[in-house]
Amino acid sequence: MTDDRPRQLARTPPLGWNSWNAFSCEVTDADIRAAADALVETGLRDAGYEYVVVDDCWMASETDREGRLQPSADFPNGMAALADYVHDSGLKFGLYSSAGSETCQGYPASLGRERLHAEQFADWGVDYLKYDNCGDHRGRDAIDRYAAMGDALSSVDREIVFSICEWGRNEPWRWGRNVGGHLWRATDDLVAKWRADPDEFGLGVADALNRMADIDAAAAHGPGGWNDPDMLQIGNGPDSGQSEHEAVDVQRPLTEAERRTHFAFWCLLAAPLMLGTDLTSLSTFDRELLTNERLLAIDQDPLGIQGTPDRRDGDAEVWSKRLADGGAAVAFHNRGDDAREISTHVSAVDVTGGAARYQVCDCWTGNEWETSGSLAMTVEPRDTAIVRVMPQ
Ligand code: GAL
C-alpha cells in the first residue's frame, strides 16, 4: 500500500454516466452503446461528461476456469469491443466489480483475484473501475480489501480511475487516497426522491445533503481524491420516460426545484457527476440543467474544494465554496414549503474578504450585479439559488 504514486487521474471530479440508476440489473450492450451515442448527440460529452460505466450485472454467473470474469449473454460482443465503441465515440469506458466474493446482485466478483481481474480490465481497455462492497469479505477489513485492488490497478499498464463504493461505512475519506482511490462513496445509495423514510432503502437528495453536512470529510477532498455523494438521479422517476426500464425504488420524479437543488449542491460539493438516467429520453430541462456551464465550472474548479455549510437554521441554509480565482460560489437553499428571502454577507461565506465591492453572478440566469457585502436571494420551496461572488 503506497500513497506516493503519480496522481494524474481525476484532478477534477470525474464526470460521466453509469448504468445503474436507469437500467439496474437489466443492462445490455445495446443500452451502453445508446448511452454513448446520446452523450455525443446531447452535447453532454462536449460539456465534459466522459466516462461510460457499466454497473453491476454485466458478468456471467460463472467465471472461467482460472477465475476470470466473463461477460453475460447480454454483452454478446464482449467487453473489449464495447470499450472500443465507447472510445471511438471520444469517451472513456468503465466497469464494476466488488471487494467480496460476489457483487450486490450475486455475480462473481474480485476478492482474492484482484491482479487477474485488473489485468483483464486493462486488456479490455477499461479506464474506470467502480468497486463495490458486497459478497463475503472472508474476514478481511475494508482497507485491506480495497488496498488489494488499488495495488493491482497500479501494477497494470493502464491508467484506471479507482472508484471506491463502500457507502462511507468505514470513513473512506480517511484512507481512500492511501489505497489508490480517486473517489469514494460517502453515503448510502441515492434514490430519486426528496426524502426517503428512515426504514426504507436509500437516501433522498435532502437526506444526502444532511449526511454531507454532518460528516467531517471535506478536508480529505481535492484533486485526485473525491468524496462521492452518489450518482445523479436527475431525469429519473415513473413519469420521466422510464417506462421501459423502471428504475429501482422510485415513486415520483424530483420536481424542477428539487432537481436544481440536487445539481447545484453536487456542483457546490465538487462531487463526481455521474449521470444516472436513460439519456435517450432526456428532457430539455434536464439537458440544460446538466450542461449549465456556470455550474459545471464550480464543480470542476481546479482548487477542488468541497463546499460546506456556513449557516443551517431552520428552513434557510447558506453554503459556500472557495474558487481558484479568489471568488466563491454561494448557495441559498430553502428547505421549507413557502418562498422566502435568504440573506447573508460576504464576511460570513468562504470568499476572499476586504474588498470594497463584489461582483455577483446568478448561476441560473446569468444576471450580474454589484454589492458592498450583502447577499440576498428569494428562493422557492426546495429550490436553491446559487451565485458566484468575486471581489473587485
Ligand atoms: C450498490 C451500489 C450501487 C450499485 C449497486 C449494484 O451497493 O451502492 O451504486 O452499484 O450496488 O448492485
Side-chain angles (χ1 to χ4, degrees):
M1 179 163 87
T2 64
D3 61 359
D4 55 358
R5 284 175 278 217
R7 303 193 65 85
Q8 296 313 317
L9 290 173
R11 301 304 298 168
T12 58
L15 267 51
W17 177 88
N18 172 299
S19 60
W20 183 252
N21 286 350
F23 297 103
S24 60
C25 215
E26 310 298 310
V27 63
T28 67
D29 180 286
D31 295 327
I32 302 303
R33 288 170 194 250
D37 293 349
L39 279 165
V40 176
E41 283 155 18
T42 54
L44 286 160
R45 179 197 64 182
D46 293 343
Y49 296 90
E50 61 176 342
Y51 291 98
V52 175
V53 181
V54 193
D55 207 279
D56 205 347
C57 308
W58 63 265
M59 57 288 273
S61 42
E62 301 293 335
T63 63
D64 74 6
R65 267 216 237 125
E66 283 77 40
R68 287 189 197 84
L69 295 169
Q70 310 187 96
S72 79
D74 290 325
F75 292 85
N77 307 305
M79 299 329 256
L82 186 54
D84 285 348
Y85 186 88
V86 169
H87 291 149
D88 288 348
S89 306
L91 296 159
K92 292 183 175 155
F93 183 63
L95 281 180
Y96 163 104
S97 186
S98 182
S101 56
E102 292 183 349
T103 73
C104 297
Q105 304 301 315
Y107 290 91
S110 298
L111 187 65
R113 304 186 276 219
E114 293 84 0
R115 188 65 72 97
L116 190 64
H117 291 182
E119 281 166 7
Q120 276 195 284
F121 299 147
D123 287 348
W124 286 343
V126 167
D127 306 296
Y128 183 111
L129 176 67
K130 174 172 169 181
Y131 204 44
D132 215 332
N133 196 26
C134 283
D136 185 348
H137 297 163
R138 304 203 178 107
R140 295 170 59 180
D141 72 19
I143 298 179
D144 180 36
R145 289 178 293 111
Y146 282 92
M149 183 54 90
D151 284 344
L153 292 174
S154 70
S155 75
V156 298
D157 190 18
R158 189 169 179 90
E159 297 220 298
I160 300 178
V161 169
F162 184 28
S163 163
I164 293 173
C165 178
E166 61 76 78
W167 319 303
R169 298 282 159 83
N170 300 280
E171 304 193 332
W173 44 92
R174 301 195 189 285
W175 48 267
R177 280 175 190 267
N178 291 348
V179 300
H182 299 98
L183 60 157
W184 39 83
R185 280 273 296 279
T187 61
D188 286 326
D189 286 24
L190 188 75
V191 294
K193 295 176 188 168
W194 180 245
R195 298 210 70 139
D197 289 334
D199 56 353
E200 68 181 327
F201 175 80
L203 300 177
V205 170
D207 308 315
L209 287 181
N210 288 341
R211 164 90 177 151
M212 293 307 286
D214 288 347
I215 58 176
D216 182 21
H221 179 100
W226 308 97
N227 295 319
D228 175 10
D230 203 8
M231 305 173 292
L232 298 172
Q233 288 286 5
I234 291 165
N236 292 343
D239 300 324
S240 54
Q242 284 215 305
S243 47
E244 247 189 278
H245 299 282
E246 186 91 347
V248 285
D249 297 296
V250 169
Q251 285 165 354
R252 68 156 175 82
L254 297 166
T255 65
E256 290 188 357
E258 292 165 351
R259 278 178 268 167
R260 262 194 299 271
T261 292
H262 183 0
F263 194 61
F265 270 95
W266 264 238
C267 292
L268 192 89
L269 292 167
L273 300 177
M274 299 303 282
L275 309 171
T277 195
D278 181 352
L279 297 177
T280 64
S281 54
L282 192 67
S283 70
T284 304
F285 176 87
D286 289 341
R287 182 174 48 74
E288 288 176 355
L289 181 65
L290 296 168
T291 55
N292 180 311
E293 288 179 2
R294 287 182 281 266
L295 267 294
L296 287 171
I298 292 169
D299 182 78
Q300 296 287 298
D301 185 79
L303 273 190
I305 290 180
Q306 176 179 314
T308 48
D310 301 304
R311 179 155 70 83
R312 303 182 91 212
D313 52 11
D315 291 337
E317 301 190 10
V318 179
W319 297 49
S320 63
K321 162 183 158 72
R322 195 150 40 88
L323 299 169
D325 63 4
V330 184
F332 303 79
H333 175 44
N334 178 3
R335 292 243 174 182
D337 295 326
D338 300 306
R340 59 183 296 158
E341 188 181 85
I342 301 176
S343 58
T344 187
H345 190 271
V346 291
S347 58
V349 302
D350 193 9
V351 67
T352 310
R357 310 284 305 164
Y358 292 79
Q359 182 80 19
V360 186
C361 176
D362 181 327
C363 295
W364 298 131
T365 63
N367 290 344
E368 295 190 356
W369 64 95
E370 280 197 5
T371 176
S372 56
S374 298
L375 298 165
M377 302 296 287
T378 301
V379 191
E380 297 299 317
R382 296 188 177 179
D383 211 339
T384 297
I386 180 162
V387 298
R388 192 166 175 132
V389 183
M390 185 67 193
Q392 294 300 286

